[in-house]
Amino acid sequence: MKTSVCIIGGGPSGLLLSQLLHLQGIHNVVLERQSREYVLGRIRAGVLEHGFAKLMREAQCGERMDREGEIHEGFFIAHDGAMDRVDLHKYSGGSSVIVYGQTELTRDLYDARERMNGTVIHNAEDVTPQDLTSPRPSVTYRRGDETVRIECDFVIGADGFHGVSRKSIPKTVLKEYEKVYPFGWLGVLSRTKPVSPELIYARHERGFALCSLRSQVLSRYYIQVPLADKVEDWSDEAFWAELQRRLPAEVSARMITGPSIEKSIAPLRSFVAEPMRYGNLFLAGDAAHIVPPTGARGLNSAASDIYYLYHAMVAHYKRSDASGLEGYSAKALARVWKAQRFSWWMTMLLHTFPDSLEYDRKLQQTDLAYLFSSEAAQRSLAENYVGLPF
Ligand code: APR
Ligand code: PHB
């Protein structure tokens, strides 16, 4: 098989790039290890920057997002007995975010790929990128007994943190930066009315909590838990009780609880791999970088990679201009690191650390007191939360 761009990974990064390239007449193939049902069964975050939303519209995938997604112009931080609101709209020069689940967004991308007869190969096993430093790399994969080779100009590694792409870059070339936090988030999805129309991030001595939502009838809640905890350790009753303990009393009093329809624990990690290009392999999204979910930057960091890659590919194929591809890694990483900084800051601000000193806890309180006493600090938070420019 021959194509121009072989994309490894059918998550949001790979599908969005595939769709954008297709619309520009650039032939591409997506190789996904899992089935479509499996990919769509994963519950992930749900806060989109406008830059991401714009890209979805450009990819002709924004219709349902614009219809069903909710515009959020602010969120709350509960701390030290107070509930302070971050006015995103006011402090970001009129911007906001869209609350729309990543699962739904991925479904829209799959539907669009199907509508346009895009090639998305599911259940592709042993995907192996080859000859990455040659002008004609290839990717092999297995389906049942059959091994298929795809020859291409470029390979895109959009195969997430556990993918094969990053691992095919020699250790002498790749530098990895990592910070693992000593806790995870236990998340529950429930078919209940959300406790608040806007998100509530809560700092509490028992640990962080977050009230989020997918729609007016679907809530998503999280609590910080020790790394050793297992989902089985947490009954629904225990989850709701702990969540309510960590929220202001008036919030807990109006919380509607119900059976969980999904419950999972995600460890928190910050990770960046440099460079994001090796020969004709380009990494994008979670394959190159991970953030803790605290600042809702994960999916949005993938979006800027795709934006840069898409424009670089178009310049290459339409104008024989290689500058975008040459500059991709440096440009993408500059924004990636800013998202890392912001997610790290929000994580450090709002969580309880097992080995923290009383001094550290005083600093967290002071950081929050400063934030809500300073318009400059709120402006800084807001511009990062709605997304720095691409
Ligand atoms: N071969 C083929 N596909 C693979 C392989 C492989 N060896 N390894 C992983 N994949 C697939 C996974 O099954 C998954 O569907 O690659 C896809 C990667 O998708 P994601 O992990 O969702 O990563 P990405 O598309 O970059 O999405 C951005 O940012 O913070 C996050 O939650 C956010 O998942 C979102 C991500
Ligand atoms: C979510 O809704 O899943 C969510 C929202 C905001 C975050 C993280 C997760 O910061």
Side-chain angles (χ1 to χ4, degrees):
M1 205 194 294
K2 284 187 168 55
T3 187
S4 301
V5 182
C6 181
I7 301 171
I8 306 179
S13 301
L15 294 170
L16 179 57
L17 183 65
S18 171
Q19 181 68 8
L20 289 164
L21 293 179
H22 182 116
L23 290 169
Q24 293 290 332
I26 300 170
H27 193 267
N28 66 85
V29 172
V30 176
L31 292 177
E32 167 58 53
R33 180 166 59 183
Q34 308 286 355
S35 67
R36 178 178 168 144
E37 293 66 41
Y38 183 95
V39 175
L40 291 176
R42 293 190 289 232
I43 307 290
R44 298 267 178 88
V47 175
L48 309 181
E49 300 174 356
H50 279 284
F52 193 110
K54 218 170 134 201
L55 217 47
M56 284 292 285
R57 291 182 202 114
E58 194 168 339
Q60 298 181 8
C61 297
E63 202 192 308
R64 196 161 67 100
M65 172 192 77
D66 282 327
R67 203 172 54 239
E68 295 178 13
E70 283 184 17
I71 304 248
H72 282 221
E73 295 186 344
F75 63 84
F76 293 96
I77 297 184
H79 66 102
D80 308 296
M83 262 270 274
D84 283 311
R85 182 168 184 265
V86 178
D87 191 332
L88 293 174
H89 191 259
K90 176 173 173 190
Y91 290 119
S92 70
S95 195
S96 53
V97 291
I98 301 178
V99 171
Y100 186 64
Q102 185 182 320
T103 312
E104 299 311 314
L105 179 139
T106 310
R107 190 187 304 281
D108 296 342
L109 287 164
Y110 269 127
D111 289 349
R113 294 287 49 224
E114 204 165 85
R115 206 166 59 232
M116 296 185 186
N117 287 321
T119 311
V120 181
I121 298 166
H122 283 281
N123 306 308
E125 291 175 59
D126 300 336
V127 172
T128 313
Q130 298 184 11
D131 304 321
L132 292 171
T133 52
S134 90
R136 198 70 188 154
S138 63
V139 180
T140 55
Y141 70 95
R142 196 170 54 74
R143 246 186 121 170
D145 294 337
E146 188 194 13
T147 297
V148 182
R149 175 182 297 274
I150 301 180
E151 286 180 27
C152 55
D153 301 328
F154 303 108
V155 179
I156 308 300
D159 47 355
F161 182 66
H162 299 287
V164 66
S165 302
R166 189 182 67 250
K167 292 180 191 127
S168 60
I169 302 178
K171 286 209 162 34
T172 49
V173 174
L174 196 72
K175 176 137 180 67
E176 298 184 331
Y177 301 83
E178 185 172 45
K179 183 177 175 70
V180 177
Y181 300 88
F183 42 74
W185 278 17
L186 168 63
V188 157
L189 190 67
S190 78
R191 224 175 284 288
T192 48
K193 185 174 158 52
V195 71
S196 163
E198 293 187 334
L199 272 65
I200 303 173
Y201 291 82
R203 176 184 175 274
H204 190 275
E205 63 198 29
R206 296 181 65 91
F208 170 79
L210 170 62
C211 306
S212 183
L213 63 152
R214 293 289 174 272
S215 72
Q216 282 315 306
V217 290
L218 202 54
S219 299
R220 181 69 168 161
Y221 296 108
Y222 298 94
I223 55 172
Q224 173 188 350
V225 293
L227 266 184
D229 280 20
K230 302 268 171 290
V231 177
E232 306 78 72
D233 303 337
W234 285 92
S235 65
D236 287 359
E237 292 67 32
F239 175 84
W240 291 118
E242 186 58 33
L243 175 65
Q244 286 173 314
R245 257 182 230 128
R246 297 182 188 185
L247 295 169
E250 73 274 14
V251 175
S252 297
R254 63 168 192 265
M255 178 169 286
I256 299 171
T257 63
S260 62
I261 51 177
E262 196 266 356
K263 198 192 281 168
S264 53
I265 294 183
L268 268 68
R269 183 197 301 265
S270 298
F271 173 87
V272 182
E274 292 188 354
M276 287 172 62
R277 174 193 188 169
Y278 173 66
N280 284 317
L281 168 72
F282 294 83
L283 300 179
D286 275 19
H289 43 82
I290 298 275
V291 284
T294 325
R297 294 299 82 204
L299 183 57
N300 293 305
S301 295
S304 55
D305 295 352
I306 298 307
Y307 177 87
Y308 296 136
L309 254 186
Y310 163 51
H311 286 282
M313 290 284 169
V314 170
H316 168 80
Y317 281 107
K318 305 262 170 173
R319 304 192 294 278
S320 300
D321 172 1
S323 61
L325 292 175
E326 297 298 341
Y328 169 70
S329 180
K331 205 167 175 179
L333 282 166
R335 192 175 190 273
V336 160
W337 275 109
K338 289 179 190 149
Q340 291 281 328
R341 185 205 68 81
F342 179 64
S343 307
W344 162 83
W345 173 75
M346 265 193 85
T347 302
M348 299 303 285
L349 181 68
L350 298 173
H351 290 78
T352 302
F353 288 78
D355 57 353
S356 71
L357 307 169
E358 240 176 297
Y359 177 87
D360 299 323
R361 293 194 289 279
K362 271 284 187 194
L363 275 193
Q364 281 181 320
Q365 287 172 345
T366 307
D367 211 341
L368 282 160
Y370 167 65
L371 175 65
F372 291 107
S373 68
S374 158
E375 294 209 338
Q378 287 168 73
R379 194 161 286 128
S380 168
L381 196 174
E383 80 165 345
N384 279 279
Y385 196 90
V386 302
L388 296 172
F390 287 171

